[in-house]
Amino acid sequence: QVQLVESGGGLVQAGGSLTLSCTASGNILVINAMGWYRQAPGKQRELVATKSNGGTTNYQDAVKGRFTISRDNNKNTVYLQMNALNPEDTAVYYCNANLISRPSYRSSSYWGQGTQVTVSS
């Protein structure tokens, strides 16, 4: 059974930095893409950043230049370095992985449990 475990959330002042990490475990054959989404109170979940197995990255416009996504494929881990945080970045951040695992051998999407990021002004 595949699990995604996140860490690194917390409370930070505006202008500060945080790094989130997420590790996928289980009977994984290949991870095609990993990424981060976030959901603020009263809002829909939105894409923050994704990175494909080939290295292609995609960022939400609001975080470009401030957030950096990276992956350690040997560890099935994705990171999100967040700099210059502002109160609008406050949300629950969810890790997502699109991967193929046994016994299904099918591509499926998995989610972490979420980690709270709160930015105070």
Side-chain angles (χ1 to χ4, degrees), residues 13-92:
Q13 288 188 331
S17 299
L18 280 175
T19 300
L20 306 182
S21 64
C22 170
T23 299
S25 63
N27 210 342
I28 299 169
L29 288 172
V30 62
I31 300 177
N32 295 314
M34 297 187 82
W36 293 93
Y37 291 71
R38 67 186 181 186
Q39 188 166 17
K43 295 187 177 181
Q44 290 188 332
R45 190 173 299 188
E46 60 182 10
L47 179 147
V48 176
T50 61
K51 188 163 188 173
S52 72
N53 208 16
T56 301
T57 57
N58 183 32
Y59 291 93
Q60 179 192 128
D61 285 347
V63 308
K64 285 180 180 177
R66 300 188 298 123
F67 291 10
T68 302
I69 188 170
S70 60
R71 285 176 62 175
D72 184 336
N73 292 331
N74 291 327
K75 296 181 179 179
N76 289 342
T77 298
V78 63
Y79 305 94
L80 186 68
Q81 173 67 43
M82 305 185 291
N83 298 325
L85 286 160
N86 58 62
E88 289 70 39
D89 296 315
T90 295
V92 178

